[in-house]
Amino acid sequence: MMSLPGTFACDEYGRPFIVLRDQESQKRLTGNEAIKSHILAAKQIASIIRSSLGPKGLDKMMVSGDGEVTVTNDGATILKLMDVDHEIGKLMVQLSQSQDDEIGDGTTGVVVLAGALLEQAESLLDRGIHPIRIADGFELAAQCAVKHLDTIAQPFPVSRDNKEPLIRVAMTTLGSKIVNKCHRQMAEIAVDAVLTVADLEKKDVNFELIKLECKVGGRMEDTCLVKGVVVDKTMSHSQMPTVLKDVKLAILTCPFEPPKPKTKHKLDVTSADDYRKLREYEQEKFLQMVKQVKDAGATLAICQWGFDDEANHLLLQQQLPAVRWVGGPEIELIAIATGGRIVPRFEELSADKLGSAGLVRELSFGTTKDKMLVIEDCKNTRAVTVLIRGGNQMVTAEAKRSIHDALCVVRSLIRDSRIVYGGGAAEISCSLAVAREADQLSTLEQYAFRSFSVALESIPLALAENSGLPPIETLSELKSRQGVENSATLGVDCMLTGNSDMKDHHVIESLHSKKQQIVLATQLVKMILKIDDVRTPADR
């Protein structure tokens, strides 16, 4: 049974009250004071991340406790690496994480929107409106905005033959990232990778088949898509061939070593003869293992475990190239790509369990000893690897996060191929629609509707601010133009080209992502508004 936080008692007149345990050592915030404290914490988080929104958004440098440096402008990554103490701050971190898990992009926007909604809620609380009425009003306004998004959404062609539209969407995602100097190339790589593994009939993409591998050195332009698997390993012996054609792979998860008794064993070697016998037995077992692999028809052994120098020497002697210490995920990917089976015991190895690949080669980088193994022309071409290059580890790590975002956006378009226009255009259009709806309401919720409409404007405002434009003037001009021209494609001209039509700039966002942003931000804000009593230990 759970212990109760206090004791129930009555005074001499029979009036009940609760005596709370340890209350002298606890801090307690109640009512509007608690909500205000939460709003302040959430606004702080949103203001930190607000400056990294949009193509001209700034990056953040995070330094961990052990001195590891990360430079990024990916909202989810910034919040994950921030050491947030406040409970509401932690909820904001989880909000960006859930957007990242579900969509993969829009993690900064969702936090900025949640922060703006809470800011608006604060002024409504000051007017004396009850938090529950505000929360309900926000929920209705969010539904109204999502409905409006459906009306302004446009169908989008997704096909293997015409990749151009998908590449443009991927370019929108990558516009705010560090990789925008080789903008188009990265977008093409992301689209090719997704289309290679996508099942367009089922509208599904299996991300397990796309592996992102980073290698420091070289230029970012050297990033390439390998139709196969890249493993950060080399042949186990330096004299083994580095290029193999028409390869039959034995994929083993059993070690190349003599069998050990399973029970606790103790082997006494008392004479030189015993030692020789033991050594002969070991050698015989090694030869038997190599023979079993060769007899199955394998021309390359991929082993999850290691093997000692003796086994390595025997493999070289028997002309059987091998790779050792290949990790579990890579083993699975190699098995999928080559059509082979993962074999747990040498006795089970047979010709039909071997995988096949057209080419296995070692890649060497620059003047270093770094080498990687590339398995190409596989039986199942659906497994692909993106090999990311860059000047240092921070650049390659950020490029990896950026490409992941682009892959996620292309995947969400394959699932639901409707789009809206970016650059704040969709938010301004929703803001106008919610404000119009507010005029039709006679209840108290109209205040929440108007506040929601103002909060939606925080995205275009932040975009304009980060691009060096006068925010209020830019926003008022766009709102009046959208109203007059009845066009939901007018957004913030971040690139200062003089044209605000996002259709001409091909700044496109998936409808699913935009809906999710509004729904998730509103859910979190509702939850925060409903917390009116907080207890914390006094020393915090």
Side-chain angles (χ1 to χ4, degrees):
M1 183 179 148
M2 202 173 78
S3 65
L4 292 167
T7 315
F8 183 80
C10 293
D11 64 7
E12 64 268 33
Y13 301 109
R15 288 178 301 212
F17 63 90
I18 294 175
V19 181
L20 289 164
R21 188 181 302 130
D22 301 333
Q23 63 183 19
E24 74 285 346
S25 63
Q26 288 188 340
K27 271 195 315 190
R28 186 176 181 194
L29 281 173
T30 54
N32 276 4
E33 198 185 327
I35 296 175
K36 290 270 180 72
S37 145
H38 299 158
I39 289 174
L40 184 66
K43 270 163 60 179
Q44 293 248 273
I45 298 272
S47 69
I48 289 169
I49 216 165
R50 185 184 165 101
S51 61
S52 64
L53 186 69
K56 300 277 179 78
L58 303 172
D59 290 2
K60 308 277 181 241
M61 182 186 272
M62 326 290 288
V63 184
S64 69
D66 52 4
E68 195 180 321
V69 178
T70 308
V71 177
T72 180
N73 79 350
D74 178 55
T77 310
I78 294 170
L79 289 175
K80 207 189 308 176
L81 297 175
M82 260 166 61
D83 196 4
V84 181
D85 250 356
H86 198 285
E87 291 67 30
I88 298 299
K90 286 176 182 164
L91 289 178
M92 296 292 266
V93 175
Q94 287 168 7
L95 169 70
S96 75
Q97 198 54 53
S98 60
Q99 175 78 12
D100 200 29
D101 295 342
E102 184 66 21
I103 307 290
D105 190 36
T107 50
T108 311
V110 73
V111 175
V112 171
L113 181 57
L117 281 170
L118 284 167
E119 203 170 322
Q120 292 301 316
E122 189 173 22
S123 61
L124 291 178
L125 284 170
D126 290 341
R127 283 178 165 188
I129 300 176
H130 194 280
I132 294 295
R133 298 298 295 268
I134 300 172
D136 291 347
F138 278 175
E139 176 66 27
L140 292 169
Q143 286 171 11
C144 169
V146 167
K147 269 190 206 145
H148 180 68
L149 279 174
D150 281 331
T151 61
I152 62 169
Q154 297 186 0
F156 187 77
V158 173
S159 74
R160 291 186 201 277
D161 311 326
N162 182 14
K163 296 178 188 171
E164 192 57 35
L166 283 171
I167 290 170
R168 284 178 173 158
V169 180
M171 282 171 75
T172 305
T173 304
L174 295 171
S176 61
K177 311 287 183 194
I178 197 169
V179 296
N180 62 3
K181 69 177 186 125
C182 40
H183 203 155
R184 183 168 182 96
Q185 180 196 349
M186 292 292 187
E188 283 174 2
I189 286 174
V191 171
D192 285 345
V194 172
L195 287 179
T196 306
V197 305
D199 185 337
L200 292 181
E201 279 75 52
K202 287 184 185 167
K203 295 194 168 186
D204 191 35
V205 179
N206 181 2
F207 265 8
E208 296 286 308
L209 298 174
I210 303 175
K211 186 164 169 263
L212 301 175
E213 191 73 59
C214 296
K215 199 74 183 170
V216 173
R219 300 172 308 153
M220 211 183 277
E221 285 85 348
D222 297 337
T223 300
C224 59
L225 180 70
V226 177
K227 296 280 176 78
V229 186
V230 177
V231 189
D232 199 356
K233 294 279 176 272
T234 56
M235 294 294 183
S236 62
H237 199 292
S238 55
Q239 289 175 335
M240 286 177 180
T242 53
V243 177
L244 299 167
K245 289 189 177 157
D246 298 326
V247 187
K248 294 282 181 208
L249 293 95
I251 304 164
L252 308 166
T253 55
C254 41
F256 265 96
E257 55 184 38
K260 292 187 178 80
K262 286 284 182 287
T263 54
K264 287 198 170 172
H265 55 281
K266 184 172 177 238
L267 190 61
D268 288 330
V269 179
T270 50
S271 65
D273 279 353
D274 283 357
Y275 186 76
R276 279 193 204 96
K277 275 182 194 162
L278 180 64
R279 195 178 165 286
E280 278 167 20
Y281 168 76
E282 283 196 357
Q283 190 152 9
E284 187 189 319
K285 278 288 174 193
F286 276 139
L287 282 167
Q288 189 185 335
M289 288 170 186
V290 176
K291 187 172 182 299
Q292 279 170 330
V293 177
K294 295 271 287 187
D295 288 353
T299 54
L300 173 65
I302 303 252
C303 189
Q304 187 174 6
W305 305 106
F307 30 86
D308 60 16
D309 292 343
E310 189 175 0
N312 208 0
H313 171 68
L314 278 170
L315 286 165
L316 181 69
Q317 245 182 3
Q318 302 287 326
Q319 295 179 339
L320 178 62
V323 186
R324 57 183 163 188
W325 299 119
V326 179
E330 280 102 338
I331 282 265
E332 285 178 21
L333 210 57
I334 292 169
I336 293 168
T338 58
R341 296 277 294 279
I342 297 173
V343 180
R345 289 165 61 210
F346 286 100
E347 291 78 8
E348 292 177 22
L349 198 59
S350 59
D352 58 331
K353 290 183 180 173
L354 298 179
S356 57
L359 179 66
V360 175
R361 61 194 170 93
E362 264 186 14
L363 282 180
S364 57
F365 300 99
T367 57
T368 62
K369 288 182 182 172
D370 280 359
K371 288 190 170 64
M372 287 176 116
L373 210 60
V374 183
I375 301 169
E376 290 176 300
D377 299 341
C378 302
K379 190 174 179 183
N380 174 8
T381 54
R382 288 185 59 199
V384 295
T385 306
V386 180
L387 182 59
I388 301 163
R389 306 299 309 278
N392 62 21
Q393 204 168 350
M394 282 185 290
V395 171
T396 53
E398 178 64 354
K400 184 176 181 177
R401 282 189 287 271
S402 308
I403 290 175
H404 179 263
D405 279 10
L407 293 172
C408 290
V409 168
V410 178
R411 175 183 67 174
S412 69
L413 274 174
I414 286 173
R415 286 182 170 172
D416 179 353
S417 60
R418 289 173 299 165
I419 53 113
V420 290
Y421 287 93
E427 281 88 351
I428 295 172
S429 185
C430 285
S431 167
L432 291 168
V434 172
R436 277 198 301 273
E437 188 67 28
D439 297 336
Q440 312 298 316
L441 293 173
S442 57
T443 57
L444 198 61
E445 271 74 24
Q446 61 175 296
Y447 288 101
F449 264 69
R450 287 202 183 91
S451 294
F452 194 93
S453 146
V454 174
L456 281 169
E457 293 167 4
S458 65
I459 302 276
L461 274 175
L463 284 173
E465 207 173 301
N466 294 346
S467 307
L469 294 162
I472 307 289
E473 291 165 37
T474 310
L475 178 65
S476 12
E477 186 202 340
L478 287 171
K479 277 177 74 176
S480 72
R481 280 186 62 191
Q482 276 214 17
V484 173
E485 297 171 30
N486 197 16
S487 156
T489 61
L490 297 169
V492 179
D493 174 25
C494 294
M495 292 311 188
L496 314 178
T497 54
N499 179 4
S500 298
D501 195 335
M502 293 296 128
K503 203 168 187 175
D504 298 347
H505 292 308
H506 306 292
V507 178
I508 306 163
E509 292 188 58
S510 84
L511 172 69
H512 188 38
S513 164
K514 196 52 77 187
K515 274 185 177 176
Q516 194 76 13
Q517 275 187 21
I518 293 174
V519 170
L520 288 179
T522 312
Q523 274 177 4
L524 180 79
V525 169
K526 268 184 73 178
M527 184 174 147
I528 292 173
L529 286 172
K530 286 182 176 177
I531 302 169
D532 78 327
D533 195 341
V534 185
R535 309 189 143 268
T536 47
D539 54 354
R540 286 191 60 184

